[in-house]
Amino acid sequence: MLASNESPFPPVQAVLTAIKDAAADINRYPDPGARALRSALAARYDYPVTGVAVGNGSCEILLAAAEALLEPWHEIVYAWPSFSMYPHLAAGTDARAVEVPLTADHVHDLDAMAAAVTDNTRMLLVCNPNNPTSTYIPAERIARFIEDVPPHVLVILDEAYVEFVLAEDPDTSIDLVRRYPNLVILRTFSKAFGLAGLRVGYALGTEEFRAAVDRVRQPFSVNKLAQAAATEALRHQDDVARRAEWNVVERAWMDEQLEELGLEVAESEANFCWLGLGEADEAEVMQVLAAAGVAVRPGAALGAKGYLRVTYGTRSENERFVAALRDALAS
Ligand SMILES: *Cc1c(COP(=O)(O)O)cnc(C)c1O
């Protein structure tokens, strides 16, 4: 199962225990203010709790932000290919989607994105590292970009994979959200924290942003088990660090294998890679992989035919993928 950028490892025992303990009280509604979790996040980032929003996955925060902010005459700018959720924000609000192609290196073209902003642009999304292409832009470059964007545009920096970044301290970007009131940082417990099945994500922004998001959705969106688990998971930063270190080892191993196969691989700072199949037919490769029991994400579904997005799994899963891919390319 290398198709959804999940962690192959279950959560630590303390998190499972927190879920079990919270389950004993499941006849009661969850805290609609998610105070324990939001306070823990505020403490973790030394950030005002009033600006911490939590959601039923970070996807819910994205959808709520779109619903709260976008009108049909607005424009929303994002890179393409990027996260498959982004087109839904426009579809759900009738705002106009402005998709800015990535560079040839599969990186956000920030100059072109800034140039795509008009008086009607209300929201701009930067996915960093980018899903599906795995590439990363340093925080310092993001800061210069925000300087280029007028203040009527809300910039959402989607950092679902930031814990896997090796290029710089993943928390460098937190300084930016303190500096720019039109910036929101979006993070999740679904990837490095290994809690995808619980659905919990969060945003750091202004109090106005959090209030806007809260106004358009139901009060109990983050369930009780998710609140308990995420709060406990924040106490285990060493576990996140361990997953990130393990990821770097698998990333290096996969890079080496794919290079040996002569494939083009984007420079990954995430827990997945983006590889070009060259002359090989994507649909045929997908068929061989499926027959070997290996699920990956085909580029055609993401607007980039001839590419695959492959999550790093355990070493044996990765070996199984590479063996199946070698067969596919030989046939
Ligand atoms: C996986 C992912 C998310 C996380 O979504 P959740 O709703 O928090 O599970 C957000 N953004 C991107 C780019 C992702 O790939």
Side-chain angles (χ1 to χ4, degrees):
M1 185 56 196
L2 307 178
S4 299
N5 297 344
E6 300 149 331
S7 173
F9 304 117
V12 290
Q13 191 56 49
V15 170
L16 296 174
T17 302
I19 294 170
K20 199 160 161 262
D21 291 349
D25 197 23
I26 208 76
N27 50 309
R28 306 287 177 195
Y29 279 109
D31 173 10
R35 281 163 300 181
L37 174 55
R38 288 177 50 242
S39 301
L41 286 164
R44 158 78 178 78
Y45 291 112
D46 189 20
Y47 196 80
V49 69
T50 50
V52 180
V54 295
N56 189 257
S58 51
C59 285
E60 189 206 28
I61 301 176
L62 276 173
L63 287 165
E67 192 182 342
L69 297 174
L70 297 179
E71 300 294 343
W73 58 87
H74 285 143
E75 293 164 1
I76 171 170
V77 176
Y78 51 85
W80 202 253
S82 193
F83 188 30
S84 54
M85 256 286 296
Y86 299 160
H88 293 278
L89 306 187
T93 57
D94 279 338
R96 192 165 83 85
V98 179
E99 300 185 338
V100 179
L102 300 174
T103 68
D105 293 336
H106 315 288
V107 182
H108 276 61
D109 187 343
L110 292 183
D111 289 330
M113 290 178 81
V117 169
T118 72
D119 288 346
N120 290 331
T121 308
R122 189 74 209 275
M123 194 181 281
L124 190 151
L125 304 165
V126 176
C127 189
N128 199 38
N130 187 44
N131 177 7
T133 63
S134 75
T135 53
Y136 181 73
I137 300 167
E140 184 265 340
R141 177 69 187 93
I142 301 275
R144 270 189 288 132
F145 171 71
I146 298 166
E147 302 272 356
D148 280 348
V149 172
H152 70 267
V153 179
L154 180 75
V155 178
I156 299 185
L157 187 57
D158 185 345
E159 298 190 325
Y161 302 97
V162 76
E163 295 88 355
F164 297 112
V165 168
L166 200 61
E168 64 185 338
D169 181 339
D171 286 346
T172 311
S173 58
I174 302 296
D175 285 335
L176 304 184
V177 81
R178 291 195 185 91
R179 228 188 297 164
Y180 302 106
N182 63 327
L183 177 67
V184 166
I185 284 183
L186 198 64
R187 294 188 174 188
T188 181
F189 287 93
S190 296
K191 308 289 160 53
F193 284 90
L195 299 177
L198 277 176
R199 315 300 304 119
V200 51
Y202 59 99
L204 306 180
T206 59
E207 182 170 0
E208 289 75 12
F209 175 79
R210 183 188 56 79
V213 164
D214 281 347
R215 212 171 288 134
V216 296
R217 54 180 186 163
Q218 60 144 328
F220 300 117
S221 66
V222 183
N223 74 68
K224 181 173 265 178
L225 307 187
Q227 289 188 29
T231 306
E232 183 62 33
L234 284 173
R235 297 194 186 108
H236 302 273
Q237 296 296 323
D238 52 331
D239 180 49
V240 179
R242 204 167 44 79
R243 287 162 192 256
E245 278 165 30
W246 160 86
N247 186 66
V248 169
V249 173
E250 292 312 306
R251 182 193 293 163
W253 185 86
M254 282 278 267
D255 273 351
E256 206 178 282
Q257 303 297 310
L258 297 171
E259 198 175 306
E260 253 171 50
L261 290 173
L263 298 170
E264 176 214 347
V265 186
E267 179 130 356
S268 174
E269 286 286 312
N271 67 334
F272 57 92
C273 60
W274 180 244
L275 58 106
L277 292 172
E279 304 284 279
D281 182 81
E282 179 188 306
E284 281 170 26
V285 170
M286 284 300 293
Q287 248 170 27
V288 175
L289 292 178
V294 179
V296 303
R297 193 55 60 95
L302 304 165
K305 200 162 182 288
Y307 286 85
L308 297 181
R309 191 195 71 189
V310 185
T311 311
Y312 306 134
T314 61
R315 177 59 59 88
S316 68
E317 289 169 338
N318 295 338
E319 283 171 348
R320 186 159 157 192
F321 161 70
V322 169
L325 182 64
R326 190 175 288 122
D327 287 350
L329 295 174
S331 65

